[in-house]
Amino acid sequence: MAKTGKPPATQDKLDFPRPLTMVDVVIFAVMESRLQVLLVKRPDAPGEPYPGLWALPGGFVDVDRDESLEACARRKLREKAGVEAPYLEQLGSWGGVSRDPRGWSATHVYFALIPSEHVMPQKGANAAEAAWFTLQEFDGRSRLAFDHMEIMQAAVTRLRNKVEYTSLPAYLLPEEFTLSELQRMYEVVMERPIEKSAFRTRVLSSGLVEPVRKMREGPNRPAQLYRLADPVHPVVFTRTIKTRTD
Amino acid sequence: MAKTGKPPATQDKLDFPRPLTMVDVVIFAVMESRLQVLLVKRPDAPGEPYPGLWALPGGFVDVDRDESLEACARRKLREKAGVEAPYLEQLGSWGGVSRDPRGWSATHVYFALIPSEHVMPQKGANAAEAAWFTLQEFDGRSRLAFDHMEIMQAAVTRLRNKVEYTSLPAYLLPEEFTLSELQRMYEVVMERPIEKSAFRTRVLSSGLVEPVRKMREGPNRPAQLYRLADPVHPVVFTRTIKTRTD
DNA sequence: TAAGTTAGTTGCACAGTAGCACTAAGATAT
DNA sequence: ATATCTTAGTGCTACTGTGCAACTAACTTA
């Protein structure tokens, strides 16, 4: 490891070319009973790659302002979406010679879930034009900048997988919610209906939620409100939700 | 996104400071019925951080040789461990101002499982001094370079979690193996015994393996040999392995 | 032929869930 | 008041994969 005749390492100096380093965030929210992703429009300025195309919110790491990758991701979240995300996890990283015309680049991608109530009044902050897209809008040929389509697909896959055995959909809801509302979040993400009775026992016997002394009032029977017993740690179930005849 | 007065982006140029970019690999193998990790010794050359300490195999991305992050990880695997890993997944990335004295740095960490048969005859390749360590050897105060202790713990946690509901331990075995050998890999990683009968039905009914027309001969009853039905894709089970009274 | 060891099977109990029918509590219409 | 609608919430049964324990099978060595 001491002396490979190549650029990296221990040439006594650090004067070899460095890749560009960025952070991008895939931000999910459920609006109008659809899973949606926040995208921003690439600037049209000269020299900018993929001008005018939609891209994941993100950008270069700022070595002077960002303490760490996660801090950088939270900054992007604030700047682009104007929110503190109740759930943020690392999705992975994508890097290579050809993903950005400006040169070898690597992006660290995070994955956030936010309640639709937290969504800013559209196009806020200092972010460029921003908009929410349903997943169906990408089935066609609509391109995204860079390899962001691939990244977004990976994020959706990860979310769909985790929904089967974790409590992640709870982070798509406000602090207090009913069990029916929680069930609907699961159904929206999984894109299939689940059994009410089984779902309720599953959730209640797991200790995921605790009741608050309030009811959700509506046109019909009032529903018990709950909140997360431990908002910081998602619950992992020991069984997946069974898919019908599959 | 067009004009923040800060270093990154669209200052018309890309002349802002870039973090150091590296790739590290956590390589697991089971030897002597213990889960072990491959580490390399940091060089003693002047200017090198953490001289003489043990570290994860890895290093800087070489923008001229490495096509992508994963290609870079495979290169490190070849150079340091002298193997092609049958299983390689991304673990995550760690980055920040303070993790490397040479400046803001980010490392992309991969996670490999290899059969102990693939293990090189010790200290091979152009790698510096390398050695296998059992996990117990870190319970004490033995330090690792950089934040590699934290990274290694994360890798172990990820592996232990995934063992509960995937077929990952199969990649710690050679191409052909018996069910008892597979069970032993699970037990070594989980550090607890599991039921033979339940394990066999679980594995056999999942389609994970297919029998080959050979038997493992030994001092006792010969055992049926199997191989992975699909060596590329690990199997995901719908239930975790139940832990006794827990 | 008996004993030891590992491979592999069988049968039963248990737990979490799917499926479905039922009751409960509110609003609204008659 | 009473019926009807809608959503909340419960009870019951069946099924499936697993945990558990005892059993049989195949081979070696004494």
Side-chain angles (χ1 to χ4, degrees), chain A residues 37-89:
Chain A
V37 182
L38 183 67
L39 299 177
V40 298
K41 199 172 243 176
R42 298 279 314 156
D44 277 310
E48 287 288 347
Y50 300 100
L53 279 190
W54 292 99
L56 294 171
F60 294 105
V61 166
D62 185 333
V63 299
D64 294 321
R65 296 167 66 204
D66 298 318
E67 265 275 319
S68 66
L69 290 174
E70 185 173 325
C72 178
R74 292 195 187 279
R75 176 170 68 83
K76 306 283 180 198
L77 258 167
R78 272 195 310 275
E79 291 178 2
K80 316 283 179 174
V83 296
E84 309 288 326
Y87 185 79
L88 181 68
E89 83 168 39

Side-chain angles (χ1 to χ4, degrees), chain A residues 1 8 10 17-18 20-21 48 58 62-63 66-69 80 90 92-93 95-97 104 108 126 238-240, chain B residues 1 8 10 17-18 20-21 48 58 62-63 66-69 80 90 92-93 95-97 104 108 126 238-240:
Chain A
M1 194 199 186
T10 56
R18 304 180 179 188
L20 293 161
T21 301
E48 287 288 347
D62 185 333
V63 299
D66 298 318
E67 265 275 319
S68 66
L69 290 174
K80 316 283 179 174
Q90 223 186 34
S93 53
V97 226
W104 222 106
H108 303 261
N126 55 359
T238 55
R239 294 199 197 175
T240 58
Chain B
M1 192 201 187
T10 56
R18 304 180 179 188
L20 292 161
T21 301
E48 286 288 347
D62 184 334
V63 297
D66 299 317
E67 266 275 319
S68 66
L69 290 174
K80 316 282 179 175
Q90 223 185 35
S93 52
V97 226
W104 221 106
H108 304 260
N126 56 359
T238 54
R239 292 201 200 173
T240 59

Side-chain angles (χ1 to χ4, degrees), chain B residues 170-204:
Chain B
Y171 297 104
L172 295 165
L173 288 171
E175 274 194 26
E176 299 184 347
F177 51 84
T178 70
L179 291 190
S180 298
E181 289 164 354
L182 182 57
Q183 181 177 343
R184 256 168 244 135
M185 287 301 112
Y186 274 85
E187 292 174 335
V188 165
V189 174
M190 299 195 308
E191 290 186 321
R192 71 167 191 267
I194 56 184
E195 271 301 313
K196 177 171 57 168
S197 167
F199 178 77
R200 296 175 74 92
T201 9
R202 182 178 164 103
V203 169
L204 290 175

